[in-house]
């Protein structure tokens, strides 16, 4: 078959050129516009990157119309059912599911990097007790570059690997330290005999004065949530990591930029906003009022946890988390959870409403995740930290992919300038 291309004609000059089409393994083809400025003197304009592929990637694929999410080709539903967060992390980083021996080595590497430098730990004392944990986590992650000089040559593959192990191992320790600082409790050191999620729960909930036993149901629920949050292709925070990393900035700076970007309510911060919204709605009687507000363009209110740039169908993660809510709440003996009941009812009402149907607005991953985090005893201000913690694996995989690509160059978007044309400086005495 002849290579596909699109012909572009400048209606003013009649000049034409062929824009080549590039095909991936699945998904829409992309139009290669790299020669557009050279041949026609124009840029493309796509605010919010609605139809712009900023890079080529082999990590994650989403079909938003069908509600499909694949990590390295594997459906997220299968990984959620059969895999573990550590195995998924290996898959995202290395491209293939690990053999038993490789998984054991990977897990051991992560377990042996869990402690953070004591000086770094003391940074937390500099934060006010009511600082948002995301502020602490992004600052401490950025500060890691001041400690781990021995492995920060981004052009050295071994250094990149050590960085990956360090950040994935230490981010739970940093998250837990932020939590303990908020509570005014002593920091709890990691335990390398525990698996990733059990260790996180231990650092969150243990206190020096009493024994603490990790409930395996809690650890399993967390592991599943982390699998579902681990990557989501070129979302805002991942694109931020890529953009910051494309400058050659150290990888801790790039991940810290990702943590900061993920905090907004349109992105990872939505899980916190969903619970606030459900509490504000209060009872099912108030649902019509809030749905009407969400539809009213003069109000800033949106149904948090609803809608997605890519999914125009059910977010597959939302379905899995909703199922998990039923199971986890039942196992914890809290099936009569009023916020979950309210969320189910709100979903039902919105999915029948013409406004949401016409715009293909469905529950997204964040609609139900906060309900599980709450049931596990994780405070609301930590929800977005949980998102960032799990997404760190995806950020690292994308950063690694980008840095290892010989064609990588600094990301530098162009603009449509609509400010004043060139004008001459006027002396202050002559200004109106
Ligand atoms: N409630 C009410 N109306 C909405 C909502 C909502 N949650 N989401 C989108 N719309 C409307 C929007 O007003 C617009 O209407 P119209 O065509 O009449 O102007 C239409 O639907 C298209 O929305 P958009 O804002 O152009 O879509 P977007 O792709 O720019 O934004 C979004 C996607 C996720 C930011 C948005 O749906 C939203 O703000 N949702 C609530 C926040 C949320 O749950 N975020 C988590 C996203 S999933 C996790 C993650 O990415 O981290």
């Amino acid at each position: 078959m002849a290579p596909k291309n699109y012909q572009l004609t400048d209606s003013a000059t009649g000049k034409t050129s062929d824009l080549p089409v590039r095909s991936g393994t699945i998904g829409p083809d992309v139009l290669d516009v790299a020669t557009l400025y050279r041949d026609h003197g124009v840029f493309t304009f796509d605010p919010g990157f609605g139809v712009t592929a900023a890079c080529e990637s082999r990590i994650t694929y989403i079909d938003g119309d069908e509600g499909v999410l694949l990590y390295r080709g594997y459906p997220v539903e299968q990984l959620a059912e059969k895999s573990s967060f550590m195995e998924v992390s290996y898959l995202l980083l290395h491209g293939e599911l690990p053999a038993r021996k490789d998984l054991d080595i990977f897990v051991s590497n992560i377990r042996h990097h869990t402690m953070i430098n004591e000086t770094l730990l003391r940074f937390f004392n500099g934060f006010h007790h009511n600082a948002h944990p995301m502020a602490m986590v992004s600052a401490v992650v950025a500060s890691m570059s001041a400690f781990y000089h021995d492995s920060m040559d981004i052009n050295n593959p071994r250094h990149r690997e050590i960085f990956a192990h360090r950040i994935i191992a230490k981010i739970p320790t940093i998250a837990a330290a932020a939590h303990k600082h908020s509570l005014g409790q002593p920091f709890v050191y990691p335990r390398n005999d525990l698996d990733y999620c059990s260790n996180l729960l231990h650092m969150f909930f243990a206190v020096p004065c009493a024994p603490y036993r990790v409930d395996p149901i809690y650890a399993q629920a967390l592991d599943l949530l982390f699998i579902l949050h681990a990557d989501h292709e070129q979302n805002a925070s991942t694109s931020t990591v890529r953009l910051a990393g494309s400058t050659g900035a150290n990888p801790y700076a790039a991940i810290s930029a990702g943590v900061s970007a993920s905090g907004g309510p349109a992105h990872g911060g939505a899980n916190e906003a969903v619970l606030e919204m459900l509490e504000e709605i209060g009872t099912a009687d108030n649902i019509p009022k809030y749905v009407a507000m969400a539809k009213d363009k003069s109000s800033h209110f949106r149904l948090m946890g609803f809608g997605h740039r890519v999914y125009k169908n059910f977010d597959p993660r939302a379905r899995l988390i909703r199922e998990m809510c039923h199971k986890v709440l039942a196992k914890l003996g809290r099936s009569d959870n009023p916020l979950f009941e309210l969320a189910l009812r709100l979903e039902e009402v919105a999915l029948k409403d013409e406004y949401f149907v016409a715009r293909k607005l469905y529950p997204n991953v964040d609609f139900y995740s906060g309900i599980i985090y709450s049931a596990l005893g994780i405070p609301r201000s930590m929800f977005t930290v949980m998102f960032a913690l799990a997404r760190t694996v995806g950020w690292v995989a994308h950063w690694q992919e980008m840095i290892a690509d010989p064609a990588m160059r600094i990301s530098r978007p162009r603009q449509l300038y609509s400010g004043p044309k060139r004008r001459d400086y006027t002396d202050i005495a002559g200004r109106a």
Side-chain angles (χ1 to χ4, degrees):
M1 204 168 51
K4 202 171 153 188
N5 59 37
Y6 280 75
Q7 201 171 62
L8 184 81
T9 305
D10 180 332
S11 60
T13 63
K15 185 176 177 187
T16 61
S17 64
D18 287 333
L19 295 178
V21 168
R22 296 182 59 187
S23 300
T25 42
I26 35 176
D29 291 340
V30 300
L31 205 54
D32 187 339
V33 294
T35 57
L36 201 58
Y37 183 68
R38 187 197 68 194
D39 294 346
H40 290 272
V42 292
F43 299 141
T44 54
F45 184 63
D46 178 25
F49 304 109
V51 292
T52 296
C55 64
E56 184 178 335
S57 181
R58 295 162 177 265
I59 301 172
T60 290
Y61 174 74
I62 304 172
D63 181 333
D65 295 324
E66 296 298 322
V68 169
L69 170 61
L70 310 177
Y71 292 164
R72 300 283 190 181
Y74 295 101
V76 75
E77 292 85 352
Q78 290 182 19
L79 295 168
E81 189 192 334
K82 299 179 178 163
S83 189
S84 66
F85 180 60
M86 278 293 98
E87 188 177 66
V88 165
S89 301
Y90 184 100
L91 173 68
L92 288 169
L93 293 169
H94 297 275
E96 297 297 335
L97 286 169
R100 163 61 55 202
K101 161 177 79 50
D102 296 327
L103 182 60
D104 290 346
I105 294 170
F106 178 71
V107 170
S108 165
N109 277 327
I110 301 297
R111 281 189 187 185
H112 289 93
H113 278 104
T114 50
M115 291 217 297
I116 59 172
N117 188 296
E118 283 294 305
T119 317
L120 199 51
L121 200 53
R122 286 199 286 276
F123 277 30
F124 286 92
N125 293 334
F127 290 103
H128 202 256
H129 67 90
N130 61 3
H132 195 286
M134 283 294 277
M136 296 191 249
V137 172
S138 67
V140 172
V141 169
S143 306
M144 286 172 77
S145 65
F147 289 78
Y148 302 108
H149 304 286
D150 60 336
S151 56
M152 275 200 320
D153 176 1
I154 62 169
N155 297 312
N156 181 329
R158 177 66 186 135
H159 282 205
R160 296 201 295 265
E161 188 180 27
I162 296 171
F163 151 73
H165 294 159
R166 279 199 169 129
I167 188 74
I168 294 167
K170 293 181 200 305
I171 190 108
T173 315
I174 293 169
H179 175 54
K180 288 295 191 187
H181 180 73
S182 308
L183 294 176
Q185 285 184 4
F187 174 70
V188 173
Y189 285 86
R191 267 183 50 192
N192 291 353
D193 60 320
L194 295 175
D195 62 72
Y196 195 81
C197 290
S198 300
N199 176 46
L200 178 74
L201 291 165
H202 159 76
M203 291 189 291
F204 261 61
F205 298 120
V207 285
C209 51
Y212 175 77
R213 193 188 71 83
V214 177
D215 187 329
I217 297 174
Y218 282 43
Q220 278 164 18
L222 211 49
D223 199 80
L224 182 53
L225 282 168
F226 285 0
I227 291 175
L228 300 179
H229 277 120
D231 193 40
H232 215 226
E233 52 117 307
Q234 312 308 325
N235 56 84
S237 55
T238 303
S239 298
T240 301
V241 170
R242 280 187 178 260
L243 197 130
S246 78
T247 67
N250 77 72
Y252 298 103
I255 299 297
S256 167
V259 174
S260 299
S262 72
H267 193 12
N271 51 16
E272 197 175 330
V274 168
L275 273 221
E276 275 160 19
M277 174 188 77
L278 290 174
E279 281 187 359
E280 194 183 318
I281 296 175
T283 62
D285 307 346
N286 290 326
I287 289 177
K289 186 174 106 194
Y290 281 87
V291 168
M293 251 163 72
K295 296 189 309 190
D296 177 1
K297 298 291 174 200
S298 65
S299 127
H300 290 297
F301 180 77
R302 282 190 163 199
L303 274 199
M304 299 313 288
F306 257 79
H308 199 275
R309 169 62 59 81
V310 183
Y311 293 116
K312 301 302 168 200
N313 197 329
F314 257 97
D315 178 339
R317 303 166 301 171
R319 274 191 212 275
L320 290 164
I321 296 181
R322 188 181 51 192
E323 263 172 52
M324 193 184 14
C325 276
H326 284 294
K327 285 188 198 147
V328 170
L329 292 173
K331 277 188 192 167
L332 299 177
R334 291 188 219 149
S335 294
D336 56 341
N337 183 302
L339 284 186
F340 183 41
E341 294 302 320
L342 188 63
L344 288 169
R345 185 76 195 112
L346 180 58
E347 175 186 331
E348 204 182 311
V349 172
L351 290 184
K352 283 189 194 139
D353 190 290
E354 181 48 30
Y355 174 96
F356 290 86
V357 174
R359 289 167 181 74
K360 300 184 175 166
L361 301 171
Y362 290 85
N364 61 49
V365 68
D366 289 321
F367 193 61
Y368 290 108
S369 63
I371 290 168
I372 302 201
Y373 285 133
S374 276
L376 300 181
I378 292 170
R380 198 175 306 167
S381 63
M382 289 302 294
F383 291 177
T384 312
V385 173
M386 294 290 121
F387 172 97
L389 197 159
R391 186 58 59 82
T392 294
V393 170
W395 293 333
V396 173
H398 282 270
W399 178 83
Q400 300 252 37
E401 181 179 67
M402 180 186 71
I403 299 290
D405 181 354
M408 194 272 282
R409 50 186 204 145
I410 187 169
S411 289
R412 174 59 170 87
R414 306 307 294 251
Q415 65 170 6
L416 174 65
Y417 175 71
S418 53
K421 290 189 175 159
R422 185 194 184 284
R423 49 187 172 166
D424 289 324
Y425 181 85
T426 46
D427 193 72
I428 196 161
R431 289 178 218 157

